[in-house]
mmCIF file of all heavy atoms in Angstrom:
data_model
loop_
_atom_site.group_PDB
_atom_site.id
_atom_site.type_symbol
_atom_site.label_atom_id
_atom_site.label_comp_id
_atom_site.label_asym_id
_atom_site.label_seq_id
_atom_site.Cartn_x
_atom_site.Cartn_y
_atom_site.Cartn_z
ATOM 1 N N MET A 56 110.311 146.073 75.194
ATOM 2 C CA MET A 56 110.374 144.997 76.149
ATOM 3 C C MET A 56 109.089 144.186 76.008
ATOM 4 O O MET A 56 108.015 144.729 75.808
ATOM 5 C CB MET A 56 110.488 145.532 77.569
ATOM 6 C CG MET A 56 110.436 144.414 78.599
ATOM 7 S SD MET A 56 110.497 144.964 80.300
ATOM 8 C CE MET A 56 112.193 145.387 80.440
ATOM 9 N N ALA A 57 109.237 142.891 76.126
ATOM 10 C CA ALA A 57 108.074 142.004 76.103
ATOM 11 C C ALA A 57 108.202 141.002 77.233
ATOM 12 O O ALA A 57 109.277 140.473 77.484
ATOM 13 C CB ALA A 57 107.991 141.269 74.778
ATOM 14 N N VAL A 58 107.104 140.773 77.924
ATOM 15 C CA VAL A 58 107.038 139.771 78.981
ATOM 16 C C VAL A 58 105.890 138.846 78.633
ATOM 17 O O VAL A 58 104.794 139.292 78.329
ATOM 18 C CB VAL A 58 106.799 140.423 80.363
ATOM 19 C CG1 VAL A 58 106.641 139.366 81.434
ATOM 20 C CG2 VAL A 58 107.918 141.380 80.704
ATOM 21 N N VAL A 59 106.154 137.549 78.673
ATOM 22 C CA VAL A 59 105.128 136.556 78.377
ATOM 23 C C VAL A 59 104.954 135.691 79.615
ATOM 24 O O VAL A 59 105.913 135.107 80.112
ATOM 25 C CB VAL A 59 105.531 135.681 77.167
ATOM 26 C CG1 VAL A 59 104.455 134.659 76.856
ATOM 27 C CG2 VAL A 59 105.823 136.541 75.954
ATOM 28 N N CYS A 60 103.743 135.627 80.141
ATOM 29 C CA CYS A 60 103.498 134.783 81.306
ATOM 30 C C CYS A 60 102.092 134.209 81.230
ATOM 31 O O CYS A 60 101.237 134.721 80.529
ATOM 32 C CB CYS A 60 103.703 135.562 82.604
ATOM 33 S SG CYS A 60 102.551 136.908 82.830
ATOM 34 N N GLY A 61 101.868 133.130 81.951
ATOM 35 C CA GLY A 61 100.554 132.502 81.978
ATOM 36 C C GLY A 61 100.660 131.031 82.288
ATOM 37 O O GLY A 61 101.736 130.508 82.563
ATOM 38 N N ALA A 62 99.527 130.370 82.258
ATOM 39 C CA ALA A 62 99.447 128.936 82.547
ATOM 40 C C ALA A 62 100.241 128.136 81.519
ATOM 41 O O ALA A 62 100.466 128.594 80.396
ATOM 42 C CB ALA A 62 97.994 128.490 82.551
ATOM 43 N N GLY A 63 100.655 126.949 81.919
ATOM 44 C CA GLY A 63 101.402 126.084 81.021
ATOM 45 C C GLY A 63 100.542 125.526 79.897
ATOM 46 O O GLY A 63 99.369 125.259 80.070
ATOM 47 N N GLY A 64 101.158 125.389 78.728
ATOM 48 C CA GLY A 64 100.496 124.696 77.642
ATOM 49 C C GLY A 64 100.004 125.493 76.454
ATOM 50 O O GLY A 64 99.856 124.925 75.378
ATOM 51 N N PRO A 65 99.748 126.803 76.563
ATOM 52 C CA PRO A 65 99.175 127.491 75.406
ATOM 53 C C PRO A 65 100.185 127.943 74.357
ATOM 54 O O PRO A 65 99.799 128.503 73.346
ATOM 55 C CB PRO A 65 98.448 128.691 76.008
ATOM 56 C CG PRO A 65 99.222 129.024 77.226
ATOM 57 C CD PRO A 65 99.706 127.675 77.746
ATOM 58 N N GLY A 66 101.489 127.736 74.588
ATOM 59 C CA GLY A 66 102.484 128.081 73.577
ATOM 60 C C GLY A 66 103.298 129.328 73.871
ATOM 61 O O GLY A 66 103.807 129.960 72.946
ATOM 62 N N LYS A 67 103.457 129.667 75.152
ATOM 63 C CA LYS A 67 104.230 130.864 75.511
ATOM 64 C C LYS A 67 105.662 130.780 75.008
ATOM 65 O O LYS A 67 106.181 131.757 74.473
ATOM 66 C CB LYS A 67 104.243 131.057 77.030
ATOM 67 C CG LYS A 67 102.910 131.370 77.655
ATOM 68 C CD LYS A 67 103.039 131.560 79.159
ATOM 69 C CE LYS A 67 103.637 130.374 79.867
ATOM 70 N NZ LYS A 67 102.874 129.131 79.815
ATOM 71 N N THR A 68 106.306 129.636 75.189
ATOM 72 C CA THR A 68 107.700 129.499 74.770
ATOM 73 C C THR A 68 107.820 129.642 73.262
ATOM 74 O O THR A 68 108.733 130.315 72.764
ATOM 75 C CB THR A 68 108.270 128.159 75.247
ATOM 76 O OG1 THR A 68 108.178 128.109 76.669
ATOM 77 C CG2 THR A 68 109.723 127.992 74.833
ATOM 78 N N THR A 69 106.919 129.044 72.516
ATOM 79 C CA THR A 69 106.934 129.156 71.056
ATOM 80 C C THR A 69 106.752 130.605 70.632
ATOM 81 O O THR A 69 107.471 131.109 69.755
ATOM 82 C CB THR A 69 105.825 128.278 70.439
ATOM 83 O OG1 THR A 69 106.042 126.927 70.839
ATOM 84 C CG2 THR A 69 105.811 128.374 68.931
ATOM 85 N N LEU A 70 105.815 131.294 71.250
ATOM 86 C CA LEU A 70 105.574 132.704 70.952
ATOM 87 C C LEU A 70 106.813 133.540 71.269
ATOM 88 O O LEU A 70 107.254 134.356 70.451
ATOM 89 C CB LEU A 70 104.381 133.215 71.763
ATOM 90 C CG LEU A 70 104.107 134.716 71.686
ATOM 91 C CD1 LEU A 70 103.611 135.092 70.308
ATOM 92 C CD2 LEU A 70 103.105 135.118 72.755
ATOM 93 N N ALA A 71 107.393 133.328 72.450
ATOM 94 C CA ALA A 71 108.568 134.093 72.860
ATOM 95 C C ALA A 71 109.761 133.815 71.949
ATOM 96 O O ALA A 71 110.503 134.733 71.598
ATOM 97 C CB ALA A 71 108.914 133.785 74.310
ATOM 98 N N ALA A 72 109.952 132.566 71.561
ATOM 99 C CA ALA A 72 111.063 132.207 70.680
ATOM 100 C C ALA A 72 110.915 132.886 69.320
ATOM 101 O O ALA A 72 111.905 133.385 68.758
ATOM 102 C CB ALA A 72 111.160 130.694 70.524
ATOM 103 N N GLU A 73 109.719 132.926 68.800
ATOM 104 C CA GLU A 73 109.483 133.594 67.513
ATOM 105 C C GLU A 73 109.714 135.095 67.631
ATOM 106 O O GLU A 73 110.352 135.711 66.770
ATOM 107 C CB GLU A 73 108.067 133.308 67.015
ATOM 108 C CG GLU A 73 107.727 133.964 65.698
ATOM 109 C CD GLU A 73 108.590 133.534 64.521
ATOM 110 O OE1 GLU A 73 109.132 132.413 64.549
ATOM 111 O OE2 GLU A 73 108.728 134.319 63.562
ATOM 112 N N ALA A 74 109.211 135.693 68.698
ATOM 113 C CA ALA A 74 109.421 137.132 68.905
ATOM 114 C C ALA A 74 110.903 137.441 69.057
ATOM 115 O O ALA A 74 111.398 138.441 68.521
ATOM 116 C CB ALA A 74 108.640 137.601 70.128
ATOM 117 N N ALA A 75 111.627 136.589 69.796
ATOM 118 C CA ALA A 75 113.068 136.790 69.974
ATOM 119 C C ALA A 75 113.808 136.678 68.646
ATOM 120 O O ALA A 75 114.695 137.479 68.351
ATOM 121 C CB ALA A 75 113.610 135.773 70.977
ATOM 122 N N ALA A 76 113.452 135.694 67.841
ATOM 123 C CA ALA A 76 114.099 135.519 66.539
ATOM 124 C C ALA A 76 113.867 136.728 65.645
ATOM 125 O O ALA A 76 114.791 137.209 64.973
ATOM 126 C CB ALA A 76 113.590 134.241 65.867
ATOM 127 N N ARG A 77 112.660 137.229 65.643
ATOM 128 C CA ARG A 77 112.361 138.412 64.821
ATOM 129 C C ARG A 77 113.121 139.636 65.329
ATOM 130 O O ARG A 77 113.636 140.422 64.540
ATOM 131 C CB ARG A 77 110.864 138.687 64.819
ATOM 132 C CG ARG A 77 110.084 137.674 64.020
ATOM 133 C CD ARG A 77 108.620 137.999 64.005
ATOM 134 N NE ARG A 77 107.858 136.955 63.335
ATOM 135 C CZ ARG A 77 106.618 137.111 62.924
ATOM 136 N NH1 ARG A 77 105.971 138.240 63.145
ATOM 137 N NH2 ARG A 77 105.995 136.114 62.321
ATOM 138 N N ALA A 78 113.177 139.797 66.638
ATOM 139 C CA ALA A 78 113.895 140.937 67.213
ATOM 140 C C ALA A 78 115.382 140.868 66.879
ATOM 141 O O ALA A 78 115.991 141.876 66.509
ATOM 142 C CB ALA A 78 113.681 140.984 68.726
ATOM 143 N N ARG A 79 115.972 139.677 67.013
ATOM 144 C CA ARG A 79 117.394 139.514 66.657
ATOM 145 C C ARG A 79 117.619 139.829 65.193
ATOM 146 O O ARG A 79 118.620 140.458 64.836
ATOM 147 C CB ARG A 79 117.846 138.091 66.961
ATOM 148 C CG ARG A 79 118.178 137.852 68.390
ATOM 149 C CD ARG A 79 118.858 136.493 68.589
ATOM 150 N NE ARG A 79 119.001 136.219 70.000
ATOM 151 C CZ ARG A 79 118.292 135.323 70.668
ATOM 152 N NH1 ARG A 79 117.392 134.581 70.050
ATOM 153 N NH2 ARG A 79 118.476 135.146 71.958
ATOM 154 N N ALA A 80 116.707 139.375 64.332
ATOM 155 C CA ALA A 80 116.833 139.623 62.897
ATOM 156 C C ALA A 80 116.790 141.121 62.592
ATOM 157 O O ALA A 80 117.371 141.570 61.603
ATOM 158 C CB ALA A 80 115.723 138.898 62.138
ATOM 159 N N GLU A 81 116.127 141.893 63.458
ATOM 160 C CA GLU A 81 116.058 143.348 63.295
ATOM 161 C C GLU A 81 117.241 144.044 63.961
ATOM 162 O O GLU A 81 117.312 145.266 64.001
ATOM 163 C CB GLU A 81 114.754 143.873 63.905
ATOM 164 C CG GLU A 81 113.522 143.413 63.164
ATOM 165 C CD GLU A 81 112.233 143.793 63.874
ATOM 166 O OE1 GLU A 81 112.288 144.418 64.963
ATOM 167 O OE2 GLU A 81 111.166 143.461 63.346
ATOM 168 N N GLY A 82 118.162 143.268 64.539
ATOM 169 C CA GLY A 82 119.340 143.832 65.168
ATOM 170 C C GLY A 82 119.159 144.235 66.624
ATOM 171 O O GLY A 82 120.003 144.923 67.185
ATOM 172 N N ARG A 83 118.076 143.807 67.235
ATOM 173 C CA ARG A 83 117.830 144.141 68.642
ATOM 174 C C ARG A 83 118.533 143.155 69.564
ATOM 175 O O ARG A 83 118.780 142.009 69.200
ATOM 176 C CB ARG A 83 116.337 144.108 68.942
ATOM 177 C CG ARG A 83 115.558 145.130 68.165
ATOM 178 C CD ARG A 83 114.112 145.080 68.537
ATOM 179 N NE ARG A 83 113.333 145.901 67.630
ATOM 180 C CZ ARG A 83 112.063 146.143 67.794
ATOM 181 N NH1 ARG A 83 111.416 145.624 68.827
ATOM 182 N NH2 ARG A 83 111.418 146.888 66.942
ATOM 183 N N VAL A 84 118.852 143.612 70.763
ATOM 184 C CA VAL A 84 119.437 142.747 71.784
ATOM 185 C C VAL A 84 118.300 141.966 72.431
ATOM 186 O O VAL A 84 117.273 142.529 72.794
ATOM 187 C CB VAL A 84 120.188 143.564 72.856
ATOM 188 C CG1 VAL A 84 120.687 142.676 73.979
ATOM 189 C CG2 VAL A 84 121.333 144.341 72.218
ATOM 190 N N VAL A 85 118.483 140.665 72.568
ATOM 191 C CA VAL A 85 117.471 139.804 73.186
ATOM 192 C C VAL A 85 118.072 139.154 74.418
ATOM 193 O O VAL A 85 119.163 138.591 74.365
ATOM 194 C CB VAL A 85 116.982 138.719 72.204
ATOM 195 C CG1 VAL A 85 116.042 137.745 72.890
ATOM 196 C CG2 VAL A 85 116.311 139.361 70.999
ATOM 197 N N VAL A 86 117.368 139.251 75.537
ATOM 198 C CA VAL A 86 117.772 138.599 76.780
ATOM 199 C C VAL A 86 116.618 137.702 77.195
ATOM 200 O O VAL A 86 115.485 138.155 77.311
ATOM 201 C CB VAL A 86 118.073 139.636 77.891
ATOM 202 C CG1 VAL A 86 118.471 138.936 79.172
ATOM 203 C CG2 VAL A 86 119.151 140.609 77.438
ATOM 204 N N TRP A 87 116.911 136.436 77.405
ATOM 205 C CA TRP A 87 115.890 135.442 77.743
ATOM 206 C C TRP A 87 116.072 135.050 79.203
ATOM 207 O O TRP A 87 117.125 134.565 79.587
ATOM 208 C CB TRP A 87 116.068 134.232 76.849
ATOM 209 C CG TRP A 87 114.986 133.207 76.930
ATOM 210 C CD1 TRP A 87 114.733 132.350 77.967
ATOM 211 C CD2 TRP A 87 114.013 132.910 75.933
ATOM 212 N NE1 TRP A 87 113.667 131.545 77.676
ATOM 213 C CE2 TRP A 87 113.206 131.862 76.428
ATOM 214 C CE3 TRP A 87 113.751 133.431 74.666
ATOM 215 C CZ2 TRP A 87 112.159 131.329 75.690
ATOM 216 C CZ3 TRP A 87 112.708 132.887 73.947
ATOM 217 C CH2 TRP A 87 111.921 131.846 74.463
ATOM 218 N N ILE A 88 115.057 135.277 80.017
ATOM 219 C CA ILE A 88 115.103 134.894 81.431
ATOM 220 C C ILE A 88 113.936 133.949 81.686
ATOM 221 O O ILE A 88 112.789 134.276 81.408
ATOM 222 C CB ILE A 88 114.995 136.127 82.360
ATOM 223 C CG1 ILE A 88 116.187 137.052 82.123
ATOM 224 C CG2 ILE A 88 114.921 135.686 83.823
ATOM 225 C CD1 ILE A 88 116.098 138.363 82.867
ATOM 226 N N ARG A 89 114.265 132.795 82.224
ATOM 227 C CA ARG A 89 113.237 131.788 82.515
ATOM 228 C C ARG A 89 113.064 131.678 84.027
ATOM 229 O O ARG A 89 114.014 131.451 84.758
ATOM 230 C CB ARG A 89 113.655 130.437 81.939
ATOM 231 C CG ARG A 89 112.592 129.383 82.089
ATOM 232 C CD ARG A 89 113.019 128.138 81.372
ATOM 233 N NE ARG A 89 113.093 128.455 79.941
ATOM 234 C CZ ARG A 89 112.656 127.665 78.990
ATOM 235 N NH1 ARG A 89 112.147 126.490 79.281
ATOM 236 N NH2 ARG A 89 112.757 128.009 77.732
ATOM 237 N N TRP A 90 111.849 131.853 84.505
ATOM 238 C CA TRP A 90 111.540 131.737 85.933
ATOM 239 C C TRP A 90 111.639 130.282 86.359
ATOM 240 O O TRP A 90 111.090 129.396 85.711
ATOM 241 C CB TRP A 90 110.144 132.277 86.211
ATOM 242 C CG TRP A 90 109.683 132.041 87.601
ATOM 243 C CD1 TRP A 90 108.694 131.179 87.985
ATOM 244 C CD2 TRP A 90 110.174 132.630 88.797
ATOM 245 N NE1 TRP A 90 108.545 131.218 89.343
ATOM 246 C CE2 TRP A 90 109.449 132.095 89.870
ATOM 247 C CE3 TRP A 90 111.172 133.553 89.077
ATOM 248 C CZ2 TRP A 90 109.680 132.456 91.186
ATOM 249 C CZ3 TRP A 90 111.398 133.912 90.380
ATOM 250 C CH2 TRP A 90 110.655 133.371 91.414
ATOM 251 N N ARG A 91 112.349 130.029 87.458
ATOM 252 C CA ARG A 91 112.544 128.660 87.933
ATOM 253 C C ARG A 91 112.222 128.522 89.417
ATOM 254 O O ARG A 91 112.839 127.739 90.113
ATOM 255 C CB ARG A 91 113.985 128.232 87.703
ATOM 256 C CG ARG A 91 114.320 128.085 86.240
ATOM 257 C CD ARG A 91 115.734 127.549 86.065
ATOM 258 N NE ARG A 91 116.023 127.282 84.679
ATOM 259 C CZ ARG A 91 116.524 128.157 83.831
ATOM 260 N NH1 ARG A 91 116.785 129.373 84.223
ATOM 261 N NH2 ARG A 91 116.760 127.827 82.586
ATOM 262 N N ASP A 92 111.280 129.312 89.928
ATOM 263 C CA ASP A 92 110.895 129.251 91.342
ATOM 264 C C ASP A 92 112.067 129.485 92.278
ATOM 265 O O ASP A 92 112.159 128.880 93.334
ATOM 266 C CB ASP A 92 110.209 127.917 91.680
ATOM 267 C CG ASP A 92 108.870 127.773 90.985
ATOM 268 O OD1 ASP A 92 108.198 128.798 90.777
ATOM 269 O OD2 ASP A 92 108.493 126.643 90.656
ATOM 270 N N ASP A 93 112.988 130.337 91.878
ATOM 271 C CA ASP A 93 114.163 130.648 92.690
ATOM 272 C C ASP A 93 114.365 132.162 92.660
ATOM 273 O O ASP A 93 115.002 132.692 91.748
ATOM 274 C CB ASP A 93 115.382 129.920 92.138
ATOM 275 C CG ASP A 93 116.640 130.155 92.954
ATOM 276 O OD1 ASP A 93 116.643 131.018 93.856
ATOM 277 O OD2 ASP A 93 117.642 129.476 92.670
ATOM 278 N N PRO A 94 113.816 132.876 93.663
ATOM 279 C CA PRO A 94 113.919 134.344 93.651
ATOM 280 C C PRO A 94 115.348 134.862 93.586
ATOM 281 O O PRO A 94 115.605 135.866 92.923
ATOM 282 C CB PRO A 94 113.247 134.756 94.961
ATOM 283 C CG PRO A 94 112.352 133.615 95.316
ATOM 284 C CD PRO A 94 113.041 132.383 94.795
ATOM 285 N N ALA A 95 116.283 134.203 94.253
ATOM 286 C CA ALA A 95 117.671 134.654 94.217
ATOM 287 C C ALA A 95 118.230 134.557 92.802
ATOM 288 O O ALA A 95 118.911 135.472 92.322
ATOM 289 C CB ALA A 95 118.523 133.841 95.185
ATOM 290 N N GLN A 96 117.948 133.459 92.124
ATOM 291 C CA GLN A 96 118.423 133.296 90.743
ATOM 292 C C GLN A 96 117.762 134.309 89.820
ATOM 293 O O GLN A 96 118.415 134.867 88.938
ATOM 294 C CB GLN A 96 118.163 131.876 90.239
ATOM 295 C CG GLN A 96 118.709 131.613 88.848
ATOM 296 C CD GLN A 96 120.216 131.750 88.778
ATOM 297 O OE1 GLN A 96 120.930 131.138 89.558
ATOM 298 N NE2 GLN A 96 120.717 132.568 87.873
ATOM 299 N N LEU A 97 116.477 134.565 90.036
ATOM 300 C CA LEU A 97 115.792 135.561 89.218
ATOM 301 C C LEU A 97 116.448 136.924 89.380
ATOM 302 O O LEU A 97 116.675 137.633 88.401
ATOM 303 C CB LEU A 97 114.307 135.638 89.587
ATOM 304 C CG LEU A 97 113.496 136.682 88.827
ATOM 305 C CD1 LEU A 97 113.521 136.413 87.331
ATOM 306 C CD2 LEU A 97 112.072 136.724 89.350
ATOM 307 N N GLY A 98 116.783 137.292 90.613
ATOM 308 C CA GLY A 98 117.462 138.561 90.851
ATOM 309 C C GLY A 98 118.788 138.638 90.125
ATOM 310 O O GLY A 98 119.121 139.672 89.519
ATOM 311 N N GLN A 99 119.553 137.554 90.160
ATOM 312 C CA GLN A 99 120.837 137.513 89.446
ATOM 313 C C GLN A 99 120.624 137.622 87.946
ATOM 314 O O GLN A 99 121.364 138.338 87.250
ATOM 315 C CB GLN A 99 121.584 136.231 89.786
ATOM 316 C CG GLN A 99 122.092 136.179 91.202
ATOM 317 C CD GLN A 99 122.714 134.825 91.532
ATOM 318 O OE1 GLN A 99 122.963 134.006 90.665
ATOM 319 N NE2 GLN A 99 122.973 134.607 92.822
ATOM 320 N N ASP A 100 119.623 136.906 87.439
ATOM 321 C CA ASP A 100 119.339 136.938 85.999
ATOM 322 C C ASP A 100 118.929 138.339 85.553
ATOM 323 O O ASP A 100 119.349 138.818 84.493
ATOM 324 C CB ASP A 100 118.248 135.935 85.642
ATOM 325 C CG ASP A 100 118.696 134.490 85.772
ATOM 326 O OD1 ASP A 100 119.917 134.234 85.900
ATOM 327 O OD2 ASP A 100 117.807 133.609 85.759
ATOM 328 N N LEU A 101 118.093 139.010 86.358
ATOM 329 C CA LEU A 101 117.657 140.361 86.013
ATOM 330 C C LEU A 101 118.832 141.339 86.062
ATOM 331 O O LEU A 101 118.944 142.223 85.210
ATOM 332 C CB LEU A 101 116.533 140.811 86.938
ATOM 333 C CG LEU A 101 115.200 140.091 86.735
ATOM 334 C CD1 LEU A 101 114.224 140.469 87.845
ATOM 335 C CD2 LEU A 101 114.609 140.398 85.363
ATOM 336 N N ALA A 102 119.711 141.183 87.046
ATOM 337 C CA ALA A 102 120.891 142.043 87.122
ATOM 338 C C ALA A 102 121.796 141.826 85.916
ATOM 339 O O ALA A 102 122.317 142.791 85.337
ATOM 340 C CB ALA A 102 121.653 141.772 88.421
ATOM 341 N N GLN A 103 121.965 140.584 85.506
ATOM 342 C CA GLN A 103 122.784 140.289 84.331
ATOM 343 C C GLN A 103 122.148 140.891 83.077
ATOM 344 O O GLN A 103 122.846 141.458 82.234
ATOM 345 C CB GLN A 103 122.964 138.785 84.163
ATOM 346 C CG GLN A 103 123.845 138.436 82.979
ATOM 347 C CD GLN A 103 124.038 136.936 82.809
ATOM 348 O OE1 GLN A 103 123.327 136.139 83.387
ATOM 349 N NE2 GLN A 103 125.016 136.578 82.018
ATOM 350 N N ALA A 104 120.832 140.785 82.958
ATOM 351 C CA ALA A 104 120.142 141.368 81.804
ATOM 352 C C ALA A 104 120.331 142.877 81.778
ATOM 353 O O ALA A 104 120.605 143.460 80.725
ATOM 354 C CB ALA A 104 118.658 141.017 81.844
ATOM 355 N N ALA A 105 120.204 143.522 82.936
ATOM 356 C CA ALA A 105 120.396 144.972 83.009
ATOM 357 C C ALA A 105 121.809 145.346 82.574
ATOM 358 O O ALA A 105 122.009 146.333 81.855
ATOM 359 C CB ALA A 105 120.113 145.463 84.424
ATOM 360 N N HIS A 106 122.787 144.570 82.990
ATOM 361 C CA HIS A 106 124.178 144.822 82.597
ATOM 362 C C HIS A 106 124.346 144.660 81.080
ATOM 363 O O HIS A 106 124.959 145.509 80.422
ATOM 364 C CB HIS A 106 125.109 143.879 83.349
ATOM 365 C CG HIS A 106 126.541 144.082 83.040
ATOM 366 N ND1 HIS A 106 127.238 145.205 83.422
ATOM 367 C CD2 HIS A 106 127.420 143.315 82.358
ATOM 368 C CE1 HIS A 106 128.475 145.113 82.989
ATOM 369 N NE2 HIS A 106 128.610 143.977 82.345
ATOM 370 N N ILE A 107 123.792 143.595 80.523
ATOM 371 C CA ILE A 107 123.869 143.363 79.075
ATOM 372 C C ILE A 107 123.236 144.520 78.312
ATOM 373 O O ILE A 107 123.719 144.930 77.260
ATOM 374 C CB ILE A 107 123.184 142.030 78.701
ATOM 375 C CG1 ILE A 107 124.021 140.854 79.206
ATOM 376 C CG2 ILE A 107 122.937 141.923 77.201
ATOM 377 C CD1 ILE A 107 123.305 139.518 79.150
ATOM 378 N N LEU A 108 122.156 145.061 78.866
ATOM 379 C CA LEU A 108 121.432 146.147 78.198
ATOM 380 C C LEU A 108 122.037 147.523 78.458
ATOM 381 O O LEU A 108 121.513 148.526 78.006
ATOM 382 C CB LEU A 108 119.963 146.118 78.616
ATOM 383 C CG LEU A 108 119.218 144.858 78.167
ATOM 384 C CD1 LEU A 108 117.847 144.793 78.800
ATOM 385 C CD2 LEU A 108 119.130 144.787 76.650
ATOM 386 N N GLY A 109 123.170 147.554 79.214
ATOM 387 C CA GLY A 109 123.906 148.784 79.339
ATOM 388 C C GLY A 109 123.841 149.502 80.683
ATOM 389 O O GLY A 109 124.396 150.592 80.814
ATOM 390 N N MET A 110 123.184 148.930 81.674
ATOM 391 C CA MET A 110 123.144 149.588 82.969
ATOM 392 C C MET A 110 124.519 149.506 83.630
ATOM 393 O O MET A 110 125.163 148.464 83.613
ATOM 394 C CB MET A 110 122.103 148.933 83.891
ATOM 395 C CG MET A 110 121.973 149.642 85.233
ATOM 396 S SD MET A 110 120.685 148.971 86.274
ATOM 397 C CE MET A 110 119.261 149.778 85.578
ATOM 398 N N ALA A 111 124.939 150.610 84.207
ATOM 399 C CA ALA A 111 126.246 150.663 84.858
ATOM 400 C C ALA A 111 126.284 149.757 86.083
ATOM 401 O O ALA A 111 125.283 149.630 86.794
ATOM 402 C CB ALA A 111 126.556 152.086 85.270
ATOM 403 N N GLU A 112 127.444 149.142 86.323
ATOM 404 C CA GLU A 112 127.626 148.269 87.494
ATOM 405 C C GLU A 112 127.217 148.984 88.779
ATOM 406 O O GLU A 112 126.635 148.379 89.664
ATOM 407 C CB GLU A 112 129.088 147.842 87.610
ATOM 408 C CG GLU A 112 129.525 146.791 86.637
ATOM 409 C CD GLU A 112 129.127 145.406 87.053
ATOM 410 O OE1 GLU A 112 129.007 145.127 88.254
ATOM 411 O OE2 GLU A 112 128.952 144.583 86.138
ATOM 412 N N SER A 113 127.526 150.253 88.891
ATOM 413 C CA SER A 113 127.243 151.011 90.112
ATOM 414 C C SER A 113 125.745 151.146 90.384
ATOM 415 O O SER A 113 125.357 151.415 91.509
ATOM 416 C CB SER A 113 127.881 152.398 90.030
ATOM 417 O OG SER A 113 127.321 153.130 88.948
ATOM 418 N N ARG A 114 124.913 150.935 89.381
ATOM 419 C CA ARG A 114 123.463 151.056 89.547
ATOM 420 C C ARG A 114 122.791 149.719 89.832
ATOM 421 O O ARG A 114 121.618 149.683 90.134
ATOM 422 C CB ARG A 114 122.852 151.662 88.301
ATOM 423 C CG ARG A 114 123.441 153.028 88.042
ATOM 424 C CD ARG A 114 122.547 154.061 87.487
ATOM 425 N NE ARG A 114 121.223 154.042 87.999
ATOM 426 C CZ ARG A 114 120.154 154.340 87.260
ATOM 427 N NH1 ARG A 114 120.309 154.648 85.993
ATOM 428 N NH2 ARG A 114 118.959 154.336 87.778
ATOM 429 N N LEU A 115 123.530 148.629 89.703
ATOM 430 C CA LEU A 115 122.920 147.304 89.886
ATOM 431 C C LEU A 115 122.707 146.988 91.330
ATOM 432 O O LEU A 115 123.329 146.880 92.172
ATOM 433 C CB LEU A 115 123.769 146.232 89.216
ATOM 434 C CG LEU A 115 123.823 146.309 87.703
ATOM 435 C CD1 LEU A 115 124.756 145.251 87.144
ATOM 436 C CD2 LEU A 115 122.443 146.133 87.096
#
């Protein structure tokens, strides 16, 4: 798992996109979640990511 966070401008998105591309090329599952100042949406996005990664519906 990798989490990239910090101030705007230093290239976080570029770094994350490159890491995601390399991970996909290695056959890994990649889930991209972008924070948008909406806690409810973040919760939904995290639940969807957990489901994609194999967590059972009953545990969400």
Side-chain angles (χ1 to χ4, degrees):
M56 175 182 285
V58 176
V59 181
C60 64
K67 294 181 303 296
T68 301
T69 301
L70 173 69
E73 180 61 26
R77 288 182 185 195
R79 279 190 188 108
E81 293 173 0
R83 297 182 190 187
V84 175
V85 174
V86 179
W87 188 289
I88 298 173
R89 185 174 295 222
W90 173 250
R91 292 185 174 89
D92 293 328
D93 182 351
Q96 184 62 53
L97 178 60
Q99 290 175 12
D100 291 347
L101 290 171
Q103 182 180 15
H106 181 69
I107 290 168
L108 296 171
M110 183 176 279
E112 284 280 331
S113 62
R114 301 216 38 215
L115 293 177

